[in-house]
Amino acid sequence: MKTVIVPVDFSEISLNAARYATRLLTGHYGVNMILHHVYDKSGEAGEITGKLEQLKYDLRKTGIVNMEIFAEEGDDFIGELEKLARHRQADLVIMGIKGRSAIAQSLIGSNTLKMLNTKACPVLVIPPDCVYSDLKNVLLTSDFQDVVANTPSVPIREFLKAFHPKLHVVNVDSEHYVSLTEEYQAEKMKLKKMFGDFDPEFYFLGMNDTDEAISQFAGDKNIDLIIIVQKEQSIFSKLFVKSHAKKLIYQSSVPVLAIHE
């Protein structure tokens, strides 16, 4: 990774995400972390720049990362963030998200979900009150459907190479019984080859509730981060899939890295 953008609005949610990002990137000396803020009144420029400089100074107490600040005037936060991510060819955006209540999701979570939908780059979503811990165990969810075409192996591998965690590949399907079908076995071998240098372990959970299964697994295995792949879906399944991804992002107690296929 070379460029990581951390948008901040100076709320505790965004400040916590900035602290997490600083800890995460400490020691990665080739990475440039951009603290980004969009203000809507031209007279705020000086004040916002000063606040970003103070935040940059404060974050130095959390970890050592090459940082820059970028404040700009605009009335479309996500539009400006997406433009910056594409212009700077960002490898990652790290954002906070608030709460599990419907009100919190609609008011504060919407920007994070909008950024996920831009496909500008992978987005790492930091839950409220999440405290950084070393990435020792990472969970990759997969539906085991045409994994070569549907798994964005390049960005996933780049992330794994940066942090060297143990990789756990999880599939949830209520149809799982004692043994896997030939189709699942074949897709498993493709994923094993794709991520072979990370010594992946595979788990097939026979449960109906995917979110509950992943949450329970994450707790049992001390998972530090979950990777989900956002797929392009048919018009008939798009609403369900978006709702499922949204639910997982809001309910996870550990960071979720969302990557488009």
Side-chain angles (χ1 to χ4, degrees), residues 16-17 20-21 24 92-97 100 123-135 137-141 159 214 218 222-228 248-258:
N16 185 59
Y20 184 99
L24 178 72
L92 185 65
V93 167
I94 300 179
M95 301 179 70
I97 198 165
R100 303 183 181 186
V123 178
L124 180 58
V125 182
I126 310 301
D129 304 320
C130 178
V131 178
Y132 174 80
S133 62
D134 291 339
L135 300 187
N137 293 287
V138 167
L139 184 162
L140 170 63
T141 63
F159 187 86
I214 291 174
N222 297 316
I223 296 299
D224 301 299
L225 181 143
I226 297 171
I227 301 175
I228 62 172
L248 177 59
I249 288 170
Y250 277 120
Q251 294 192 350
S252 176
S253 60
V254 300
V256 176
L257 175 62

Side-chain angles (χ1 to χ4, degrees), residues 193-233:
K193 181 178 181 181
M194 190 182 299
F195 299 110
D197 43 345
F198 301 102
D199 192 25
E201 292 185 359
F202 293 85
Y203 305 83
F204 299 88
L205 310 179
M207 298 177 66
N208 288 308
D209 191 321
T210 300
D211 301 300
E212 180 182 348
I214 291 174
S215 178
Q216 181 177 323
F217 181 92
D220 292 343
K221 292 291 184 179
N222 297 316
I223 296 299
D224 301 299
L225 181 143
I226 297 171
I227 301 175
I228 62 172
V229 176
Q230 289 195 273
K231 293 187 174 184
E232 290 296 330
Q233 301 291 329

Side-chain angles (χ1 to χ4, degrees), residues 28-185:
H28 297 265
Y29 301 108
V31 177
N32 185 44
M33 180 171 130
I34 303 172
L35 298 173
H36 176 242
H37 180 86
V38 177
Y39 55 91
D40 58 7
K41 298 178 182 177
S42 57
E44 296 178 320
E47 177 187 356
I48 294 300
T49 298
K51 291 177 71 173
L52 286 174
E53 288 287 2
Q54 182 62 50
L55 176 58
K56 179 179 174 181
Y57 174 81
D58 292 342
L59 289 174
R60 296 288 187 191
K61 304 171 187 177
T62 301
I64 304 301
V65 182
N66 183 44
M67 288 185 220
E68 66 174 277
I69 64 170
F70 186 74
E72 58 182 330
E73 184 179 353
D75 56 7
D76 182 1
F77 165 65
I78 292 301
E80 299 299 338
L81 177 56
E82 178 186 6
K83 183 169 64 177
L84 178 64
R86 294 188 186 280
H87 177 69
R88 298 293 292 268
Q89 297 182 324
D91 301 286
L92 185 65
V93 167
I94 300 179
M95 301 179 70
I97 198 165
K98 182 177 180 180
R100 303 183 181 186
S101 71
I103 294 177
Q105 292 178 17
S106 62
L107 295 180
I108 300 177
S110 59
N111 277 332
T112 301
L113 294 179
K114 286 177 183 177
M115 190 59 198
L116 292 175
N117 290 330
T118 67
K119 306 181 186 179
C121 67
V123 178
L124 180 58
V125 182
I126 310 301
D129 304 320
C130 178
V131 178
Y132 174 80
S133 62
D134 291 339
L135 300 187
K136 297 179 181 178
N137 293 287
V138 167
L139 184 162
L140 170 63
T141 63
S142 174
D143 61 8
F144 280 67
Q145 301 296 314
D146 194 8
V147 296
V148 173
N150 295 329
T151 306
S153 60
V154 173
I156 293 175
R157 286 180 56 82
E158 287 300 314
F159 187 86
L160 295 175
K161 284 195 294 184
F163 301 102
H164 309 290
K166 175 66 180 176
L167 179 62
H168 305 262
V169 183
V170 176
N171 173 266
V172 182
D173 190 329
S174 61
E175 298 298 317
H176 286 317
Y177 296 107
V178 177
S179 60
L180 296 178
T181 64
E182 291 183 3
E183 291 79 6
Y184 269 103
Q185 289 283 11

